[in-house]
Amino acid sequence: MYLEALALEKKAEQNRELKERILQLKKERNAIILAHYYQRDEIQEIADFRGDSFLLAQKAVSTDADVIVFCGVHFMGESAKILAPHKTVLIPDERAGCPMADMVNVDGLRALKKLHPKAKVVAYINTSADVKSETDICCTSANAIKVIESVDSDEIIWVPDKNLGDYVSKFTKKKMIIWEGYCNTHDMLTIKDVEEMRAMHPNAQFVVHPECRPEVVKMGDFIGSTTGIIKYCKESDCQEFIVGTEDGTGYQLRLDSPHKKFHFATKYLVCPNMKVNNLKKVVKCLETMSPQIYVPPHIADLARSSLERMLLVK
């Protein structure tokens, strides 16, 4: 026990030193740190802004900082660079990819567009810059329904998340041509997992992200984006929740509602790609100004239109 306590104390001291160094480097570089809700607690603690993909995209556009450190996965850094092309965008670990984003590619999307020439492409923001360049408009889970309804077409090609696509299709009369991608993390959650948690916590409400499987989403007392789930839990009179989204969300949930209880629906709701960033890597990327996100100008110009259209949807 003594050695464990000593190790924890040493770790805490190292983190304090790293945080002080980050504050110094931010000032020197005129940098801002954006962190997705799925990041490690230590990353969210030092972020200037925490949020989902939509909020962080907005912050990338509005910030006066010269440097954006994007603590998320690669497509998020790309979106920031596309929307703020004259800023330097850093990502602490360039290995932070998104398996779902990798499930759709330009060649496959072009082939689908040829099969459905009258359809407009709505791409979840969880896509590469290349795919966004072939897209009419992007969306996030927070605004997907509004985006689809804003499109001047009765036929929608939706990429890449089939689970979110199934959910939003229930709120539109438009024909949805849905790509067969999915989020590896959210797709792990099963009916059995939720039933077991409900048996253990009968007074808890189940809040779920629509990236989960359709049969799991149907079980939700509340269905919404990460931001939507956080807002609902904060404002609800309920004091206990079973949470069906990535476990990094727990940081903001506990911060907003310290007296409420949160149980994640399964221990597997952890995105390994989101968790590769840490304080040491944030320090290193600010010291070396690398890795930097680069998007070829001709791709960025096309992709920017799809992102800007998303930001205009109210």
Side-chain angles (χ1 to χ4, degrees):
M1 290 293 291
Y2 172 74
L3 291 176
E4 288 180 10
L6 198 63
L8 287 172
E9 186 178 337
K10 184 178 180 181
K11 173 73 172 174
E13 179 59 29
Q14 287 175 340
N15 282 354
R16 281 193 292 270
E17 292 173 358
L18 289 167
K19 288 174 184 176
E20 288 175 6
R21 179 62 175 148
I22 289 167
L23 287 172
Q24 178 188 359
L25 288 164
K26 276 173 53 183
K27 188 174 181 180
E28 291 175 5
R29 307 292 195 195
N30 187 26
I32 189 173
I33 297 175
L34 305 181
H36 194 275
Y37 285 132
Y38 298 169
Q39 291 289 292
R40 296 170 183 263
D41 286 5
E42 66 189 53
I43 294 290
Q44 295 195 53
E45 285 172 4
I46 53 96
D48 296 285
F49 293 100
R50 297 180 294 275
D52 60 10
S53 301
F54 184 65
L55 175 64
L56 297 180
Q58 290 176 310
K59 293 298 181 186
V61 174
S62 63
T63 181
D64 293 328
D66 297 317
V67 177
I68 297 170
V69 180
F70 210 118
C71 297
V73 291
H74 200 270
F75 77 79
M76 297 177 183
E78 281 187 338
S79 295
K81 183 63 179 177
I82 290 164
L83 289 167
H86 303 300
K87 297 184 185 297
T88 299
V89 180
L90 307 173
I91 184 168
D93 192 325
E94 58 189 349
R95 296 174 303 163
C98 174
M100 176 167 64
D102 294 338
M103 290 180 189
V104 57
N105 57 66
V106 168
D107 290 341
L109 180 53
R110 285 175 177 167
L112 194 58
K113 287 166 73 173
K114 285 183 179 179
L115 288 174
H116 303 276
K118 294 182 180 179
K120 294 291 180 71
V121 180
V122 177
Y124 197 18
I125 200 169
N126 300 41
T127 46
S128 69
D130 287 346
V131 168
K132 288 182 177 73
S133 73
E134 292 286 332
T135 294
D136 293 291
I137 187 169
C138 289
C139 73
T140 68
S141 54
N143 68 358
I145 296 166
K146 288 182 179 179
V147 165
I148 286 170
E149 290 304 298
S150 76
V151 173
D152 185 21
S153 176
D154 292 328
E155 197 172 11
I156 303 293
I157 293 173
W158 168 273
V159 295
D161 184 5
K162 64 180 180 180
N163 292 337
L164 181 57
D166 175 84
Y167 176 72
V168 299
S169 70
K170 294 175 171 56
F171 297 88
T172 183
K173 294 180 180 179
K174 296 184 179 185
K175 180 182 178 182
M176 298 277 290
I177 301 143
I178 299 174
W179 193 272
E180 285 290 313
Y182 58 91
C183 169
N184 298 57
T185 300
H186 286 94
D187 198 64
M188 288 184 182
L189 187 58
T190 66
I191 290 175
K192 183 182 177 182
D193 293 326
V194 180
E195 287 177 341
E196 288 176 353
M197 289 299 289
R198 277 182 161 164
M200 292 171 62
H201 308 284
N203 296 322
Q205 288 190 348
F206 176 46
V207 293
V208 62
H209 196 289
E211 283 184 22
C212 292
R213 300 179 186 185
E215 63 270 24
V216 172
V217 171
K218 286 179 183 177
M219 301 174 74
D221 297 297
F222 175 81
I223 304 160
S225 66
T226 307
T227 296
I229 286 172
I230 291 168
K231 184 175 186 290
Y232 177 80
C233 291
K234 181 180 180 179
E235 296 176 355
S236 173
D237 292 333
C238 186
Q239 298 298 304
E240 191 172 8
F241 300 91
I242 298 164
V243 183
T245 191
E246 212 275 348
D247 82 334
T249 312
Y251 177 83
Q252 190 68 47
L253 288 169
R254 293 186 293 269
L255 193 66
D256 286 348
S257 307
H259 303 299
K260 293 183 180 182
K261 294 180 180 179
F262 299 99
H263 315 284
F264 280 82
T266 171
K267 65 180 180 180
Y268 300 112
L269 282 169
V270 180
C271 174
N273 299 283
M274 283 286 190
K275 298 298 193 276
V276 299
N277 295 320
N278 58 39
L279 294 179
K280 287 182 180 179
K281 291 175 183 177
V282 173
V283 169
K284 186 177 180 181
C285 82
L286 278 167
E287 286 179 338
T288 63
M289 294 297 285
S290 67
Q292 290 191 24
I293 295 289
Y294 172 75
V295 181
H298 68 287
I299 296 294
D301 288 344
L302 292 169
R304 188 174 301 113
S305 296
S306 64
L307 284 166
E308 288 177 343
R309 290 188 192 111
M310 174 190 76
L311 295 174
L312 290 173
V313 174
K314 303 297 182 183

